Amino acid sequence: MARQVSVTPWTPLRVVTHRIAHTPAWQLPHITPCLANIISTCATVLASPENQGLTKNGSEAALLVHKFKTQVTSMLQAKDNQKRWTAVVLIKATVEAGGYEILRGARGWVKGLLETLSASSAETRAF
């Protein structure tokens, strides 16, 4: 008998967090377009204020959004270019999908993006 899978509105985000956690850095650029496409289907979960950690109910969706944002932040701060590039693309897709609710908590991402851009500029000027 086939196992029945429960599909929830946050199931695609669960898939993305799983893929990020279990994909080697060198493969991340290859799967990034797929991950960004999946994130675009998560608009209802990402745009929901109760999933942004603003409430204390600790719902499964809120925990998953927090885990995803933590993973992306970690990739943005990584020394590996593949991880940083993937983080930039996923941040763009997440902001597009989540809109204002994601932007309200994106201060760390903005700081990380600016640091990444300034580091890239410094490397370019060195040549």
Side-chain angles (χ1 to χ4, degrees), residues 44-46 48-55 59 61-63 65-66 69:
T44 55
V45 174
L46 293 171
S48 177
E50 58 268 7
N51 292 336
Q52 301 308 318
L54 303 176
T55 61
S59 72
L63 293 172
V65 169
H66 176 73
K69 290 167 82 174

Side-chain angles (χ1 to χ4, degrees), residues 4-18:
Q4 216 171 15
V5 177
S6 172
V7 178
T8 61
W10 56 85
T11 300
L13 194 57
R14 182 182 308 279
V15 170
V16 172
T17 58
H18 178 78

